[in-house]
C-alpha cells in the first residue's frame, strides 16, 4: 500500500497556545458579537515538578484509578522513570521505576482494565522492550522483557484488529521499523520488520476510513508521511513524491 507525503509549509508557525487563544476569541465573539472584543483566557500560577535531567517525553493515563490524569516521564540522564500522580492541589505525588529508559507507551496490554507501561531500554548494541503491568493503584511489576533489533519511537495500538494492543517500534536511521503483535497477556509474538520511512515520531489513526489503522510519521523534515495499514500490521512499500516549488 502506498505512502502519502504531506508537506509542511515553511516560514513561522503559530504556537499551539496562540492557536487555542485565537479559537477561543472566535467562539466568544460569535456567541456575543455586540461585545466587540475578546479577552485572552487566564491561567493560574504554574507548578514546577522535578522530573530529572533531560526528560525524553511525557505519557498520560489514570494509573491509580482515581479519575485524575497521571503522567509518566522517562529521564534520559538517569536510570529512572518518574510516575506523577495527579491530585486536586496540582502538586503531584511521585513514584519511580528503576530502569534505564528510552521511550514509553501506555496501554492495557493484558486486558485486565488497568493501564500498563511498555518501555524501551538497553545499550548501543542490545535493545529490549519491557512491559510493566499496572495493579490499578499506581504500582507496576515487570511482566516481560523482549529483546528487539532496534529501539526508537514507541507506539501502542491495535494494528491487526484482534482487540489486543500491539507495539510499533520506530527507527530514526533506516526505513526498517519493527512491529510487535500483542498476545493479550502482556507478551508479544516474534517481531517483524515493516518498511516505512525513517521516523522520529509517529501517530496512529484510520486516515482513509477503511477500518484499519494507519501511521503518520515525522522524520524532522518538511514532510509527514502517511502509511496506510492493511489490518495485519503491515504498511506496504515506501513511495515518495517530491514537493512542488512555489510559483510553479
Amino acid at each position: 500500500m502506498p505512502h502519502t507525503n504531506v508537506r509542511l509549509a515553511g516560514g513561522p508557525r503559530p504556537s499551539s497556545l496562540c492557536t487555542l487563544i485565537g479559537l477561543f476569541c472566535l467562539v466568544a465573539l460569535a456567541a456575543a458579537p455586540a461585545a466587540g472584543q475578546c479577552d485572552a483566557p487566564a491561567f493560574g500560577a504554574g507548578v514546577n515538578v522535578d522530573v530529572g535531567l533531560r526528560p525524553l517525553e511525557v505519557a498520560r493515563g489514570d494509573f491509580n484509578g482515581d479519575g485524575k490524569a497521571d503522567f509518566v516521564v522517562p529521564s534520559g540522564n538517569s536510570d529512572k522513570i518518574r510516575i506523577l500522580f495527579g491530585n486536586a492541589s496540582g502538586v503531584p505525588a511521585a513514584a519511580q521505576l528503576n530502569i534505564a529508559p528510552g521511550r514509553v507507551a501506555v496501554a492495557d496490554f493484558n486486558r485486565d482494565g488497568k493501564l500498563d507501561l511498555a518501555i524501551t531500554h538497553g545499550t548501543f548494541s542490545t535493545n529490549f522492550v519491557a512491559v510493566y503491568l499496572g495493579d490499578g493503584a499506581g504500582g507496576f511489576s515487570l511482566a516481560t522483557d523482549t529483546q528487539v533489533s532496534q529501539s526508537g519511537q514507541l507506539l501502542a495500538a491495535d494494528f491487526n484488529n484482534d482487540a489486543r494492543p500491539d507495539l510499533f517500534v520506530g527507527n530514526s536511521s533506516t526505513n526498517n521499523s519493527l512491529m510487535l503483535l500483542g498476545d493479550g497477556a502482556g507478551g508479544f509474538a516474534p517481531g517483524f520488520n515493516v518498511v516505512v520511512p525513517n521516523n522520529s515520531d509517529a501517530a496512529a489513526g484510520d486516515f482513509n476510513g477503511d477500518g484499519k489503522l494507519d501511521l503518520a510519521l515525522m522524520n524532522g523534515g518538511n514532510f509527514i508521511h502517511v502509511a496506510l495499514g492493511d489490518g495485519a500490521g503491515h504498511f506496504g512499500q515506501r513511495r515518495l513524491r517530491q514537493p512542488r516549488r512555489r510559483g510553479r
Side-chain angles (χ1 to χ4, degrees):
M1 293 186 180
H3 295 240
T4 302
N5 300 278
V6 181
R7 190 172 191 269
L8 302 181
R13 300 180 177 89
S15 68
S16 298
L17 179 58
C18 292
T19 303
L20 288 175
I21 291 175
L23 290 173
F24 179 89
C25 291
L26 287 174
V27 172
L29 286 173
Q37 64 180 17
C38 173
D39 295 327
F43 295 91
V47 177
N48 292 322
V49 179
D50 181 16
V51 295
L53 295 175
R54 203 167 63 85
L56 300 175
E57 62 179 333
V58 178
R60 182 178 68 88
D62 181 8
F63 301 118
N64 57 354
D66 64 353
K68 300 180 178 68
D70 311 313
F71 298 93
V72 55
V73 185
S75 174
N77 277 15
S78 72
D79 293 340
K80 296 178 177 63
I81 287 183
R82 284 172 169 79
I83 303 169
L84 308 173
F85 299 104
N87 55 51
S89 70
V91 181
Q96 65 185 32
L97 293 176
N98 294 317
I99 181 175
R103 305 300 292 267
V104 63
V106 177
D108 183 8
F109 291 106
N110 63 340
R111 301 185 297 173
D112 65 350
K114 304 164 186 175
L115 287 180
D116 313 310
L117 301 176
I119 303 164
T120 60
H121 69 102
T123 65
F124 290 108
S125 59
T126 307
N127 300 294
F128 296 87
V129 173
V131 172
Y132 284 79
L133 298 181
D135 61 8
F140 295 90
S141 58
L142 180 65
T144 60
D145 202 10
T146 305
Q147 186 170 352
V148 294
S149 58
Q150 63 200 49
S151 179
Q153 164 69 24
L154 199 59
L155 183 62
D158 181 13
F159 291 105
N160 63 341
N161 288 336
D162 65 352
R164 302 170 182 174
D166 311 310
L167 281 175
F168 170 81
V169 186
N171 191 329
S172 61
S173 300
T174 73
N175 294 341
N176 288 315
S177 291
L178 183 67
M179 181 62 67
L180 299 172
L181 298 181
D183 62 8
F188 300 91
F192 55 86
N193 285 336
V194 288
V195 180
V196 295
N198 60 303
N199 52 88
S200 57
D201 207 350
D206 182 8
F207 300 120
N208 62 342
D210 66 352
K212 304 167 186 176
L213 281 184
D214 312 310
L215 287 173
L217 306 162
M218 289 194 70
N219 63 0
N222 288 338
F223 287 94
I224 295 176
H225 304 271
V226 177
L228 300 180
D230 65 357
H234 298 275
F235 298 92
Q237 297 295 316
R238 181 183 184 189
R239 188 173 71 186
L240 294 179
R241 293 183 302 176
Q242 295 298 324
R244 293 181 179 179
R245 294 184 179 179
R246 292 182 179 180
R248 289 191 175 182

mmCIF file of all heavy atoms in Angstrom, residues 17-59:
data_model
loop_
_atom_site.group_PDB
_atom_site.id
_atom_site.type_symbol
_atom_site.label_atom_id
_atom_site.label_comp_id
_atom_site.label_asym_id
_atom_site.label_seq_id
_atom_site.Cartn_x
_atom_site.Cartn_y
_atom_site.Cartn_z
ATOM 1 N N LEU A 17 -0.528 27.329 21.647
ATOM 2 C CA LEU A 17 -1.199 28.217 22.580
ATOM 3 C C LEU A 17 -1.850 29.382 21.852
ATOM 4 O O LEU A 17 -2.997 29.732 22.124
ATOM 5 C CB LEU A 17 -0.193 28.734 23.611
ATOM 6 C CG LEU A 17 -0.747 29.711 24.665
ATOM 7 C CD1 LEU A 17 -1.881 29.054 25.434
ATOM 8 C CD2 LEU A 17 0.361 30.163 25.598
ATOM 9 N N CYS A 18 -1.124 30.009 20.910
ATOM 10 C CA CYS A 18 -1.717 31.119 20.144
ATOM 11 C C CYS A 18 -2.931 30.656 19.362
ATOM 12 O O CYS A 18 -3.933 31.367 19.270
ATOM 13 C CB CYS A 18 -0.681 31.714 19.192
ATOM 14 S SG CYS A 18 0.662 32.581 20.032
ATOM 15 N N THR A 19 -2.848 29.471 18.799
ATOM 16 C CA THR A 19 -3.978 28.948 18.031
ATOM 17 C C THR A 19 -5.194 28.755 18.907
ATOM 18 O O THR A 19 -6.318 29.107 18.549
ATOM 19 C CB THR A 19 -3.587 27.614 17.371
ATOM 20 O OG1 THR A 19 -2.440 27.827 16.551
ATOM 21 C CG2 THR A 19 -4.727 27.078 16.520
ATOM 22 N N LEU A 20 -4.991 28.175 20.117
ATOM 23 C CA LEU A 20 -6.099 27.954 21.022
ATOM 24 C C LEU A 20 -6.722 29.266 21.465
ATOM 25 O O LEU A 20 -7.944 29.397 21.557
ATOM 26 C CB LEU A 20 -5.620 27.159 22.241
ATOM 27 C CG LEU A 20 -5.298 25.688 21.989
ATOM 28 C CD1 LEU A 20 -4.718 25.062 23.234
ATOM 29 C CD2 LEU A 20 -6.539 24.930 21.564
ATOM 30 N N ILE A 21 -5.877 30.289 21.754
ATOM 31 C CA ILE A 21 -6.401 31.589 22.161
ATOM 32 C C ILE A 21 -7.215 32.209 21.025
ATOM 33 O O ILE A 21 -8.291 32.774 21.234
ATOM 34 C CB ILE A 21 -5.264 32.519 22.590
ATOM 35 C CG1 ILE A 21 -4.641 32.015 23.900
ATOM 36 C CG2 ILE A 21 -5.749 33.952 22.759
ATOM 37 C CD1 ILE A 21 -3.424 32.790 24.339
ATOM 38 N N GLY A 22 -6.712 32.079 19.792
ATOM 39 C CA GLY A 22 -7.452 32.605 18.649
ATOM 40 C C GLY A 22 -8.803 31.949 18.484
ATOM 41 O O GLY A 22 -9.810 32.606 18.242
ATOM 42 N N LEU A 23 -8.853 30.614 18.624
ATOM 43 C CA LEU A 23 -10.125 29.905 18.511
ATOM 44 C C LEU A 23 -11.074 30.314 19.623
ATOM 45 O O LEU A 23 -12.282 30.476 19.422
ATOM 46 C CB LEU A 23 -9.878 28.397 18.541
ATOM 47 C CG LEU A 23 -9.201 27.810 17.312
ATOM 48 C CD1 LEU A 23 -8.875 26.347 17.540
ATOM 49 C CD2 LEU A 23 -10.089 27.955 16.090
ATOM 50 N N PHE A 24 -10.529 30.481 20.824
ATOM 51 C CA PHE A 24 -11.351 30.922 21.946
ATOM 52 C C PHE A 24 -12.008 32.265 21.640
ATOM 53 O O PHE A 24 -13.194 32.483 21.890
ATOM 54 C CB PHE A 24 -10.488 31.007 23.207
ATOM 55 C CG PHE A 24 -11.236 31.468 24.434
ATOM 56 C CD1 PHE A 24 -11.864 30.546 25.257
ATOM 57 C CD2 PHE A 24 -11.310 32.818 24.753
ATOM 58 C CE1 PHE A 24 -12.552 30.962 26.383
ATOM 59 C CE2 PHE A 24 -11.998 33.231 25.874
ATOM 60 C CZ PHE A 24 -12.616 32.317 26.697
ATOM 61 N N CYS A 25 -11.223 33.183 21.100
ATOM 62 C CA CYS A 25 -11.752 34.512 20.772
ATOM 63 C C CYS A 25 -12.837 34.435 19.705
ATOM 64 O O CYS A 25 -13.863 35.116 19.792
ATOM 65 C CB CYS A 25 -10.621 35.433 20.311
ATOM 66 S SG CYS A 25 -9.466 35.881 21.633
ATOM 67 N N LEU A 26 -12.618 33.604 18.681
ATOM 68 C CA LEU A 26 -13.608 33.488 17.622
ATOM 69 C C LEU A 26 -14.926 32.958 18.157
ATOM 70 O O LEU A 26 -16.005 33.439 17.815
ATOM 71 C CB LEU A 26 -13.079 32.572 16.513
ATOM 72 C CG LEU A 26 -11.981 33.157 15.624
ATOM 73 C CD1 LEU A 26 -11.475 32.083 14.674
ATOM 74 C CD2 LEU A 26 -12.486 34.359 14.843
ATOM 75 N N VAL A 27 -14.853 31.940 19.033
ATOM 76 C CA VAL A 27 -16.077 31.374 19.600
ATOM 77 C C VAL A 27 -16.782 32.403 20.478
ATOM 78 O O VAL A 27 -17.997 32.561 20.440
ATOM 79 C CB VAL A 27 -15.746 30.100 20.404
ATOM 80 C CG1 VAL A 27 -16.978 29.617 21.153
ATOM 81 C CG2 VAL A 27 -15.238 29.013 19.471
ATOM 82 N N ALA A 28 -15.999 33.142 21.281
ATOM 83 C CA ALA A 28 -16.599 34.125 22.174
ATOM 84 C C ALA A 28 -17.265 35.238 21.383
ATOM 85 O O ALA A 28 -18.359 35.699 21.718
ATOM 86 C CB ALA A 28 -15.537 34.693 23.114
ATOM 87 N N LEU A 29 -16.627 35.707 20.315
ATOM 88 C CA LEU A 29 -17.204 36.774 19.504
ATOM 89 C C LEU A 29 -18.464 36.316 18.783
ATOM 90 O O LEU A 29 -19.414 37.068 18.620
ATOM 91 C CB LEU A 29 -16.170 37.275 18.497
ATOM 92 C CG LEU A 29 -15.055 38.149 19.091
ATOM 93 C CD1 LEU A 29 -14.010 38.428 18.022
ATOM 94 C CD2 LEU A 29 -15.615 39.444 19.646
ATOM 95 N N ALA A 30 -18.464 35.055 18.342
ATOM 96 C CA ALA A 30 -19.652 34.533 17.665
ATOM 97 C C ALA A 30 -20.827 34.447 18.628
ATOM 98 O O ALA A 30 -21.977 34.667 18.259
ATOM 99 C CB ALA A 30 -19.352 33.157 17.072
ATOM 100 N N ALA A 31 -20.528 34.120 19.901
ATOM 101 C CA ALA A 31 -21.602 33.992 20.885
ATOM 102 C C ALA A 31 -22.110 35.347 21.350
ATOM 103 O O ALA A 31 -23.280 35.498 21.698
ATOM 104 C CB ALA A 31 -21.105 33.181 22.086
ATOM 105 N N ALA A 32 -21.226 36.373 21.367
ATOM 106 C CA ALA A 32 -21.622 37.698 21.847
ATOM 107 C C ALA A 32 -21.013 38.767 20.952
ATOM 108 O O ALA A 32 -20.100 39.486 21.339
ATOM 109 C CB ALA A 32 -21.194 37.889 23.293
ATOM 110 N N PRO A 33 -21.489 38.925 19.711
ATOM 111 C CA PRO A 33 -20.873 39.847 18.763
ATOM 112 C C PRO A 33 -20.960 41.303 19.191
ATOM 113 O O PRO A 33 -20.155 42.125 18.784
ATOM 114 C CB PRO A 33 -21.652 39.600 17.470
ATOM 115 C CG PRO A 33 -22.945 39.005 17.921
ATOM 116 C CD PRO A 33 -22.643 38.221 19.140
ATOM 117 N N ALA A 34 -21.937 41.643 20.071
ATOM 118 C CA ALA A 34 -22.090 43.038 20.451
ATOM 119 C C ALA A 34 -20.952 43.509 21.345
ATOM 120 O O ALA A 34 -20.678 44.701 21.447
ATOM 121 C CB ALA A 34 -23.427 43.227 21.171
ATOM 122 N N ALA A 35 -20.299 42.591 22.018
ATOM 123 C CA ALA A 35 -19.236 42.991 22.940
ATOM 124 C C ALA A 35 -18.086 43.637 22.190
ATOM 125 O O ALA A 35 -17.456 44.568 22.670
ATOM 126 C CB ALA A 35 -18.749 41.786 23.734
ATOM 127 N N GLY A 36 -17.749 43.120 21.002
ATOM 128 C CA GLY A 36 -16.737 43.747 20.165
ATOM 129 C C GLY A 36 -15.311 43.458 20.566
ATOM 130 O O GLY A 36 -14.382 43.953 19.929
ATOM 131 N N GLN A 37 -15.089 42.689 21.619
ATOM 132 C CA GLN A 37 -13.722 42.372 22.000
ATOM 133 C C GLN A 37 -13.707 41.050 22.731
ATOM 134 O O GLN A 37 -14.735 40.574 23.199
ATOM 135 C CB GLN A 37 -13.120 43.475 22.876
ATOM 136 C CG GLN A 37 -13.816 43.643 24.218
ATOM 137 C CD GLN A 37 -13.188 44.740 25.060
ATOM 138 O OE1 GLN A 37 -12.446 45.568 24.537
ATOM 139 N NE2 GLN A 37 -13.467 44.743 26.349
ATOM 140 N N CYS A 38 -12.515 40.487 22.841
ATOM 141 C CA CYS A 38 -12.371 39.198 23.492
ATOM 142 C C CYS A 38 -11.090 39.206 24.307
ATOM 143 O O CYS A 38 -10.021 39.502 23.782
ATOM 144 C CB CYS A 38 -12.329 38.075 22.447
ATOM 145 S SG CYS A 38 -11.960 36.453 23.158
ATOM 146 N N ASP A 39 -11.201 38.923 25.580
ATOM 147 C CA ASP A 39 -10.020 38.841 26.430
ATOM 148 C C ASP A 39 -9.415 37.458 26.335
ATOM 149 O O ASP A 39 -10.122 36.449 26.233
ATOM 150 C CB ASP A 39 -10.386 39.126 27.894
ATOM 151 C CG ASP A 39 -10.868 40.563 28.082
ATOM 152 O OD1 ASP A 39 -10.360 41.439 27.349
ATOM 153 O OD2 ASP A 39 -11.749 40.788 28.936
ATOM 154 N N ALA A 40 -8.089 37.400 26.373
ATOM 155 C CA ALA A 40 -7.399 36.112 26.351
ATOM 156 C C ALA A 40 -7.722 35.337 27.620
ATOM 157 O O ALA A 40 -7.922 35.928 28.683
ATOM 158 C CB ALA A 40 -5.892 36.335 26.246
ATOM 159 N N PRO A 41 -7.846 34.012 27.524
ATOM 160 C CA PRO A 41 -8.130 33.218 28.724
ATOM 161 C C PRO A 41 -7.003 33.360 29.745
ATOM 162 O O PRO A 41 -5.846 33.510 29.394
ATOM 163 C CB PRO A 41 -8.228 31.786 28.190
ATOM 164 C CG PRO A 41 -7.481 31.798 26.901
ATOM 165 C CD PRO A 41 -7.679 33.167 26.335
ATOM 166 N N ALA A 42 -7.387 33.341 31.016
ATOM 167 C CA ALA A 42 -6.407 33.495 32.094
ATOM 168 C C ALA A 42 -5.975 32.128 32.605
ATOM 169 O O ALA A 42 -6.748 31.171 32.598
ATOM 170 C CB ALA A 42 -7.014 34.321 33.222
ATOM 171 N N PHE A 43 -4.738 32.035 33.045
ATOM 172 C CA PHE A 43 -4.196 30.809 33.597
ATOM 173 C C PHE A 43 -3.672 31.087 34.994
ATOM 174 O O PHE A 43 -3.117 32.154 35.268
ATOM 175 C CB PHE A 43 -3.059 30.262 32.724
ATOM 176 C CG PHE A 43 -3.504 29.832 31.356
ATOM 177 C CD1 PHE A 43 -3.492 30.718 30.295
ATOM 178 C CD2 PHE A 43 -3.951 28.547 31.138
ATOM 179 C CE1 PHE A 43 -3.921 30.330 29.038
ATOM 180 C CE2 PHE A 43 -4.374 28.152 29.882
ATOM 181 C CZ PHE A 43 -4.362 29.044 28.826
ATOM 182 N N GLY A 44 -3.844 30.136 35.887
ATOM 183 C CA GLY A 44 -3.302 30.261 37.228
ATOM 184 C C GLY A 44 -1.803 30.054 37.239
ATOM 185 O O GLY A 44 -1.179 29.745 36.225
ATOM 186 N N ALA A 45 -1.229 30.236 38.394
ATOM 187 C CA ALA A 45 0.213 30.058 38.550
ATOM 188 C C ALA A 45 0.600 28.607 38.280
ATOM 189 O O ALA A 45 -0.097 27.670 38.688
ATOM 190 C CB ALA A 45 0.639 30.467 39.952
ATOM 191 N N GLY A 46 1.694 28.428 37.581
ATOM 192 C CA GLY A 46 2.169 27.087 37.258
ATOM 193 C C GLY A 46 2.849 26.421 38.444
ATOM 194 O O GLY A 46 3.220 27.061 39.428
ATOM 195 N N VAL A 47 3.005 25.108 38.331
ATOM 196 C CA VAL A 47 3.678 24.324 39.355
ATOM 197 C C VAL A 47 4.865 23.633 38.711
ATOM 198 O O VAL A 47 4.721 22.935 37.701
ATOM 199 C CB VAL A 47 2.731 23.270 39.972
ATOM 200 C CG1 VAL A 47 3.474 22.405 40.982
ATOM 201 C CG2 VAL A 47 1.541 23.943 40.629
ATOM 202 N N ASN A 48 6.053 23.832 39.247
ATOM 203 C CA ASN A 48 7.249 23.167 38.748
ATOM 204 C C ASN A 48 7.419 21.816 39.438
ATOM 205 O O ASN A 48 7.358 21.720 40.669
ATOM 206 C CB ASN A 48 8.486 24.027 38.997
ATOM 207 C CG ASN A 48 8.484 25.292 38.171
ATOM 208 O OD1 ASN A 48 8.064 25.268 37.018
ATOM 209 N ND2 ASN A 48 8.935 26.393 38.745
ATOM 210 N N VAL A 49 7.620 20.796 38.629
ATOM 211 C CA VAL A 49 7.763 19.434 39.145
ATOM 212 C C VAL A 49 9.097 18.872 38.672
ATOM 213 O O VAL A 49 9.414 18.939 37.474
ATOM 214 C CB VAL A 49 6.605 18.531 38.661
ATOM 215 C CG1 VAL A 49 6.775 17.120 39.188
ATOM 216 C CG2 VAL A 49 5.267 19.107 39.090
ATOM 217 N N ASP A 50 9.865 18.331 39.573
ATOM 218 C CA ASP A 50 11.158 17.736 39.232
ATOM 219 C C ASP A 50 10.936 16.406 38.522
ATOM 220 O O ASP A 50 10.355 15.474 39.081
ATOM 221 C CB ASP A 50 11.986 17.531 40.497
ATOM 222 C CG ASP A 50 13.367 16.930 40.204
ATOM 223 O OD1 ASP A 50 13.783 16.969 39.025
ATOM 224 O OD2 ASP A 50 14.010 16.432 41.143
ATOM 225 N N VAL A 51 11.382 16.320 37.276
ATOM 226 C CA VAL A 51 11.258 15.073 36.518
ATOM 227 C C VAL A 51 12.618 14.521 36.121
ATOM 228 O O VAL A 51 12.710 13.614 35.292
ATOM 229 C CB VAL A 51 10.383 15.270 35.258
ATOM 230 C CG1 VAL A 51 8.954 15.607 35.654
ATOM 231 C CG2 VAL A 51 10.957 16.361 34.358
ATOM 232 N N GLY A 52 13.695 15.052 36.704
ATOM 233 C CA GLY A 52 15.026 14.577 36.366
ATOM 234 C C GLY A 52 15.606 15.308 35.175
ATOM 235 O O GLY A 52 14.921 16.076 34.486
ATOM 236 N N LEU A 53 16.879 15.052 34.911
ATOM 237 C CA LEU A 53 17.566 15.714 33.814
ATOM 238 C C LEU A 53 17.174 15.108 32.472
ATOM 239 O O LEU A 53 16.999 13.905 32.352
ATOM 240 C CB LEU A 53 19.081 15.604 34.004
ATOM 241 C CG LEU A 53 19.668 16.323 35.224
ATOM 242 C CD1 LEU A 53 21.153 16.028 35.335
ATOM 243 C CD2 LEU A 53 19.428 17.826 35.134
ATOM 244 N N ARG A 54 17.029 15.942 31.472
ATOM 245 C CA ARG A 54 16.767 15.556 30.084
ATOM 246 C C ARG A 54 15.578 14.605 29.956
ATOM 247 O O ARG A 54 15.719 13.475 29.513
ATOM 248 C CB ARG A 54 18.019 14.943 29.455
ATOM 249 C CG ARG A 54 18.022 15.020 27.923
ATOM 250 C CD ARG A 54 19.410 14.706 27.370
ATOM 251 N NE ARG A 54 19.831 13.373 27.664
ATOM 252 C CZ ARG A 54 19.505 12.309 26.924
ATOM 253 N NH1 ARG A 54 18.756 12.446 25.866
ATOM 254 N NH2 ARG A 54 19.945 11.117 27.248
ATOM 255 N N PRO A 55 14.383 15.054 30.340
ATOM 256 C CA PRO A 55 13.207 14.203 30.125
ATOM 257 C C PRO A 55 13.004 13.935 28.641
ATOM 258 O O PRO A 55 13.141 14.834 27.811
ATOM 259 C CB PRO A 55 12.064 15.033 30.716
ATOM 260 C CG PRO A 55 12.558 16.437 30.700
ATOM 261 C CD PRO A 55 14.037 16.360 30.907
ATOM 262 N N LEU A 56 12.675 12.700 28.317
ATOM 263 C CA LEU A 56 12.576 12.286 26.918
ATOM 264 C C LEU A 56 11.188 12.532 26.330
ATOM 265 O O LEU A 56 11.060 12.881 25.157
ATOM 266 C CB LEU A 56 12.940 10.804 26.786
ATOM 267 C CG LEU A 56 14.355 10.426 27.237
ATOM 268 C CD1 LEU A 56 14.538 8.917 27.173
ATOM 269 C CD2 LEU A 56 15.396 11.128 26.373
ATOM 270 N N GLU A 57 10.145 12.329 27.116
ATOM 271 C CA GLU A 57 8.783 12.539 26.652
ATOM 272 C C GLU A 57 7.843 12.450 27.843
ATOM 273 O O GLU A 57 8.266 12.142 28.970
ATOM 274 C CB GLU A 57 8.384 11.527 25.576
ATOM 275 C CG GLU A 57 8.391 10.085 26.043
ATOM 276 C CD GLU A 57 7.971 9.128 24.939
ATOM 277 O OE1 GLU A 57 7.215 9.544 24.042
ATOM 278 O OE2 GLU A 57 8.391 7.964 24.987
ATOM 279 N N VAL A 58 6.573 12.704 27.606
ATOM 280 C CA VAL A 58 5.551 12.596 28.644
ATOM 281 C C VAL A 58 4.409 11.755 28.100
ATOM 282 O O VAL A 58 3.914 11.997 26.996
ATOM 283 C CB VAL A 58 5.020 13.978 29.068
ATOM 284 C CG1 VAL A 58 3.914 13.825 30.108
ATOM 285 C CG2 VAL A 58 6.137 14.846 29.620
ATOM 286 N N ALA A 59 3.983 10.741 28.859
ATOM 287 C CA ALA A 59 2.814 9.939 28.507
ATOM 288 C C ALA A 59 1.785 10.074 29.619
ATOM 289 O O ALA A 59 2.134 10.248 30.790
ATOM 290 C CB ALA A 59 3.206 8.482 28.302
#
